[in-house]
Amino acid sequence: GAVVSQHPSRVICKSGTSVKIECRSLDFQATTMFWYRQFPKQSLMLMATSNEGSKATYEQGVEKDKFLINHASLTLSTLTVTSAHPEDSSFYICSASSTSGGAATDTQYFGPGTRLTVL
Amino acid sequence: DQQVKQNSPSLSVQEGRISILNCDYTNSMFDYFLWYKKYPAEGPTFLISISSIKDKNEDGRFTVFLNKSAKHLSLHIVPSQPGDSAVYFCAASVTGNQFYFGTGTSLTVIP
């Protein structure tokens, strides 16, 4: 079945540093990838929609200059948390839909997530 | 504005019995629905889906029922096993667009 990977799975960084998280679709092409953040005991919150070859679309309240998204190819999207602070500590998850004939299909595949801890 | 709701935050079921997890939504345009299962410290994993052209989809012990008129879907697990203990999220979307998630129901299957 389709697989989405994320790297790294866990990262600990100092406050003020930047962290890059990669999301890859391993065996299918994804024109659209989504980035979510999960707070403890809460549902996944959509942060942004990442479109290959164009700028990401951010949800209201998400700082686009802080959470930089680059969807450079049909199999890779990156999320960079710039100048991370302790409140950015969270579980970040990406998802992707496979494409068929250029259109997104129904099924959404989730990555395993990246746990970010900012000290 | 919570477009997808799971009103039961937790559920306990005896092993071997049926687990029924419920989900309600408000947007009648939603045409694709998913259930995810999540263990602690892991990302959600896809469980089962249903499109709005169906009212039932079955995969092994898992069956999802969709009632479009009531804007309600449910996940049935039969028989329930201790390994099914996890948080279950339902999600809905208009095909090709973002998913809206419920807040999850924590299922505990008691051996």
Side-chain angles (χ1 to χ4, degrees):
Chain A
V3 177
V4 173
S5 70
Q6 280 185 243
H7 177 78
S9 58
R10 295 176 184 272
V11 57
I12 300 172
C13 68
K14 292 183 178 180
S15 183
T17 60
S18 295
V19 175
K20 180 186 283 188
I21 303 169
E22 292 185 351
C23 176
R24 291 181 185 273
S25 57
L26 297 185
D27 53 1
F28 65 98
Q29 294 184 331
T31 54
T32 302
M33 291 183 174
F34 299 97
W35 285 96
Y36 299 85
R37 181 175 178 178
Q38 186 189 24
F39 295 96
K41 299 184 179 180
Q42 295 185 31
S43 178
L44 295 175
M45 300 297 294
L46 179 67
M47 298 174 64
T49 303
S50 169
N51 299 296
E52 188 267 336
S54 64
K55 291 184 179 180
T57 304
Y58 290 82
E59 295 300 298
Q60 192 172 15
V62 177
E63 298 176 61
K64 61 180 180 180
D65 294 330
K66 181 169 182 63
F67 298 100
L68 300 178
I69 291 173
N70 186 345
H71 195 150
S73 75
L74 286 170
T75 58
L76 173 64
S77 175
T78 60
L79 168 67
T80 302
V81 183
T82 62
S83 187
H85 292 283
E87 57 265 32
D88 298 324
S89 298
S90 190
F91 204 72
Y92 292 86
I93 299 172
C94 71
S95 70
S97 295
S98 61
T99 56
S100 176
T105 61
D106 292 348
T107 306
Q108 186 107 174
Y109 301 98
F110 278 77
T114 297
R115 183 169 296 282
L116 170 64
T117 304
V118 185
L119 303 176
Chain B
D1 178 28
Q2 192 77 18
Q3 298 196 45
V4 176
K5 297 180 183 179
Q6 292 175 256
N7 292 318
S8 298
S10 63
L11 174 70
S12 290
V13 171
Q14 206 73 29
E15 181 179 4
R17 298 288 186 99
I18 183 172
S19 295
I20 300 176
L21 298 102
N22 293 302
C23 181
D24 297 290
Y25 59 97
T26 58
N27 189 343
S28 58
M29 297 297 292
F30 288 145
D31 59 3
Y32 194 63
F33 306 89
L34 305 165
W35 281 95
Y36 287 93
K37 178 179 178 179
K38 185 184 181 303
Y39 293 111
E42 295 182 15
T45 56
F46 171 73
L47 198 58
I48 193 169
S49 66
I50 189 167
S51 103
S52 60
I53 61 173
K54 293 184 175 182
D55 53 21
K56 176 183 174 182
N57 189 25
E58 194 171 349
D59 184 1
R61 297 185 297 114
F62 301 91
T63 303
V64 56
F65 294 92
L66 175 63
N67 183 334
K68 290 184 287 292
S69 60
K71 297 193 186 70
H72 177 85
L73 68 155
S74 60
L75 175 68
H76 292 210
I77 306 173
V78 182
S80 301
Q81 298 174 355
D84 296 329
S85 296
V87 178
Y88 289 79
F89 292 95
C90 66
S93 78
V94 178
T95 299
N97 293 286
Q98 73 168 88
F99 280 88
Y100 294 88
F101 286 82
T103 51
T105 297
S106 179
L107 172 66
T108 302
V109 179
I110 303 165

